[in-house]
Amino acid sequence: QSVLTQPPSASGTPGQRVTISCSGSSSNIGSNTVNWYQQLPGTAPKLLIYSNNQRPSGVPDRFSGSKSGTSASLAISGLQSEDEADYYCAAWDDSLNGHVVFGGGTKLTVL
Amino acid sequence: QLQLQESGPGLVKPSETLSLTCTVSGGSISSSSYYWGWIRQPPGKGLEWIGSIYYSGSTYYNPSLKSRVTISVDTSKNQFSLKLSSVTAADTAVYYCARHVTVTRPNFDYWGQGTLVTVSS
């Protein structure tokens, strides 16, 4: 059971806009920034969004992040077949002397 | 270009200690700007943060693993290491090392390729 809650799956067709949610609490998302990772099959995760809505260099602007209260969302517009991957949210949790928490991951399927 | 590479045994017996090393190249582990962390992923499952270390030796651990984990740093070798004691089959996972900017911001921007560690007799 992950501290951050994500839907296990999401899907969309090419060109569509898809959103993935990440729900937490006041001790994590509610008081700290959220990061998003993309993990393609058989590879290490890749930082997709940091500090709620910032994209690292090289990440297409089709990917965007937002945060409101104790929830965050990742939006992917203009969905492409290569976006099919697992997506994880992560945040710092202030409880228990502080620790990093991840969401359980969302498998995105491009139909 | 910064690179991280995990190394260590791929098979560990139950009740023994898992030991892995992450070698950093293309940059200094002693940079005051970064923390260095370990993350694992059991087969077919999600990511779990194990802990992180600063070059000075300050450590931060996952509360659920804290009693069994030790992370250390060797700045002379540009390496940091993970030791996980009393392993069971539940510790079978791909273990990744990664860099992040601050301990309270898990923006892991550089990752190793990962190494599979299987716990089995």
Side-chain angles (χ1 to χ4, degrees), chain B residues 34-109:
Chain B
Y34 302 107
Y35 284 75
W36 307 90
W38 288 97
I39 302 102
R40 70 179 183 178
Q41 184 172 36
K45 297 188 178 181
L47 302 170
E48 180 180 36
W49 176 71
I50 300 170
S52 297
I53 191 166
Y54 193 53
Y55 78 95
S56 63
S58 298
T59 52
Y60 303 82
Y61 296 137
N62 186 324
S64 67
L65 298 170
K66 186 174 184 177
S67 63
R68 298 194 292 129
V69 173
T70 301
I71 297 176
S72 59
V73 64
D74 186 337
T75 56
S76 67
K77 295 182 179 179
N78 228 31
Q79 296 176 333
F80 62 106
S81 298
L82 168 70
K83 290 189 185 300
L84 181 66
S85 63
S86 304
V87 297
T88 69
D91 295 309
T92 293
V94 174
Y95 286 75
Y96 296 100
C97 59
R99 182 188 86 167
H100 57 129
V101 174
T102 71
V103 71
T104 57
R105 293 191 177 190
N107 48 350
F108 297 99
D109 57 355

Side-chain angles (χ1 to χ4, degrees), chain A residues 16-21 36 48-49 52 55 59-66 72-79 83 87 108:
Chain A
Q16 264 191 330
R17 183 176 187 270
V18 171
T19 60
I20 296 172
S21 62
W36 288 91
L48 204 60
I49 297 288
N52 302 328
R55 284 185 308 275
V59 173
D61 59 7
R62 302 187 297 106
F63 295 91
S64 61
S66 63
S73 291
L74 172 70
I76 309 172
S77 60
L79 197 62
D83 298 333
Y87 293 85
L108 175 64

